[in-house]
Amino acid sequence: MEIYYEAERYAPPEHLQPSLKNQPQRYTGRGASIKRLDHVNLLAEDVQANREFAEQVLGYRLYETIELDDGSETGAWMSLSIAAHELIYVRDAYGVRGRLHHLAFWVDTREEVLRAADLFLDNDIHIEAAPSKHAVAQGFFLYGFEPGGNRVEVTTGGYFVFDPDPEATVWTEAERAKGQAWGVQTVESFHTYGTPVVEEPAKT
């Protein structure tokens, strides 16, 4: 015996009627108009070991990396897709393990990143880094802190990788010292802060 359930198809009210008939309703952007989670940036005691795990065990591809003059690896930007980055490991300034650097949320345009900055301001959200452009991965960014103390990024831009066997872009210590894409210097807290929060080790 088959049972059929009757359901009504959604019909938008008059004020939400879309201009295009193949849309369910008119666009109703609210807040910062976040579309999706874009990427996760994790702090690591050993970037190379974590990067190799992500590549060899999880199947990520390395798109960009930072190598210091001593040959050590301090950052790795990886992805499972054509997106410039989905998973990032950067060296923890204090040499500890298991901390979050930030979560990044995608918006469609730079204007929406700027709108998010105004929303942060209106809601007393501390802005750590005002909108600008990254050199690595070329994303347009805004950084602040959600109420739990975690760093969050609102981002757009970047690039896609269509090469099936890409050669990773390697950034040198001197190149990274120049700051972001347009020469803006990165704030110090961006290099040291993560969650859970730890105290800076005493200098000996």
Side-chain angles (χ1 to χ4, degrees):
M1 176 179 176
E2 294 185 355
I3 299 176
Y4 296 93
Y5 296 95
E6 186 173 337
E8 293 184 10
R9 291 186 176 275
Y10 173 74
E14 185 64 31
H15 71 284
L16 291 179
Q17 288 288 333
S19 297
L20 298 174
K21 62 190 303 182
N22 57 358
Q23 295 292 324
Q25 68 175 34
R26 183 184 298 270
Y27 174 68
T28 57
R30 63 188 177 92
S33 298
I34 298 299
K35 295 296 175 60
R36 58 178 169 81
L37 178 68
D38 186 68
H39 63 268
V40 177
N41 186 321
L42 303 173
L43 295 172
E45 179 185 31
D46 186 336
V47 170
Q48 181 176 340
N50 283 278
R51 187 257 303 160
E52 290 175 349
F53 163 77
E55 286 184 298
Q56 297 169 14
V57 179
L58 302 180
Y60 278 85
R61 294 192 296 177
L62 178 67
Y63 289 159
E64 303 199 36
T65 185
I66 299 173
E67 289 185 7
L68 300 186
D69 295 342
D70 63 6
S72 63
E73 190 172 343
T74 60
W77 283 255
M78 296 172 288
S79 185
L80 289 168
S81 72
I82 62 173
H85 56 343
E86 295 175 316
L87 174 64
I88 305 167
Y89 285 108
V90 293
R91 180 181 292 173
D92 192 300
Y94 301 148
V96 298
R97 304 168 67 181
R99 297 207 298 156
L100 173 70
H101 189 273
H102 71 268
L103 297 173
F105 299 94
W106 177 267
V107 294
D108 285 331
T109 69
R110 290 182 178 181
E111 283 298 323
E112 288 174 323
V113 176
L114 300 178
R115 170 65 177 152
D118 285 339
L119 289 169
F120 280 20
L121 184 66
D122 286 344
N123 290 278
D124 297 320
I125 302 299
H126 174 67
I127 295 175
E128 180 187 32
S132 190
K133 180 181 177 179
H134 283 299
V136 179
Q138 298 187 37
F140 193 71
F141 65 78
L142 163 71
Y143 288 95
F145 297 96
E146 50 96 73
N150 297 298
R151 179 187 287 110
V152 294
E153 176 186 12
V154 178
T155 186
T156 194
Y159 60 85
F160 292 131
V161 180
F162 294 100
D163 186 342
D165 187 24
E167 183 176 333
T169 299
V170 179
W171 297 88
T172 67
E173 189 170 338
E175 288 169 335
R176 293 306 303 131
K178 294 178 181 178
Q180 299 302 329
W182 299 328
V184 175
Q185 287 299 310
T186 310
V187 295
E188 183 60 25
S189 59
F190 196 78
H191 297 298
T192 57
Y193 183 86
T195 46
V197 177
V198 296
E199 292 186 6
E200 181 178 2
K203 294 180 173 62
T204 56

